[in-house]
Amino acid sequence: MTISRPHTTMTKGERPDWDAYFMEIAGIIAKRSTCLRRNVGALIVKDKRILATGYNGAPSGLAHCRDLGCLRELKHVASGERHELCRGLHAEQNAIIQAAYHGVSIKGAALYSTHLPCSICVKMVINAGIGHVLHLEGYPDDLAATLISESGIIITRVAKA
């Protein structure tokens, strides 16, 4: 199920709602991305508490695409295809891995991401027990849409403020 929820324009001094707050944080996390194509930030939230964050980039300790160049560009791989042809992990993957690394349960949590997760990330989200994904931008992956519709995960597209 996809829900579309716009942010309201805030006046000075007004507090953002929780979705706007977490989406703004996702945008800040995306600034750490080392991907040359798309900067993505994600965070996993439960009970209004941030459990883990992630951005897209190479595994820890390895050279980044920003340093070496983009393998996907070199091989002319279209966005949303052949995810395995990339040095980097996706932001959603990094957030889930960070939670596991630190022993933090994310079952029943929500994932806030600057972009709709790809099919690989959707499969991880399903198996991690995340029940709600909120995103700003779409992502061109038809299999992801199919998996989402079969899974029962609630998808909410949050409009930019």
Side-chain angles (χ1 to χ4, degrees), residues 41-120:
L43 62 153
I44 299 171
V45 174
K46 189 171 184 179
D47 299 326
K48 299 179 182 157
R49 301 290 180 253
I50 298 170
L51 303 178
T53 65
Y55 53 87
N56 53 333
S60 296
L62 300 185
H64 295 283
C65 299
R66 187 171 278 171
D67 303 322
L68 299 176
C70 178
L71 178 63
R72 294 175 61 79
E73 288 293 326
L74 180 69
K75 295 187 176 280
H76 307 289
V77 178
S79 185
E81 297 177 9
R82 306 285 316 268
H83 302 292
E84 76 280 6
L85 294 177
C86 180
R87 292 185 62 80
L89 290 112
H90 288 186
E92 303 89 342
Q93 293 168 343
N94 272 325
I96 291 169
I97 291 166
Q98 183 184 89
Y101 186 86
H102 293 287
V104 176
S105 174
I106 56 176
K107 183 178 180 181
L111 173 79
Y112 287 81
S113 182
T114 55
H115 293 74
L116 185 67
C118 73
S119 56
I120 293 171

Side-chain angles (χ1 to χ4, degrees), residues 7-17 20-21 24:
H7 285 305
T8 56
T9 305
M10 294 183 304
T11 59
K12 185 175 176 163
E14 191 175 354
R15 293 175 70 196
D17 66 23
Y21 172 73
E24 190 165 336

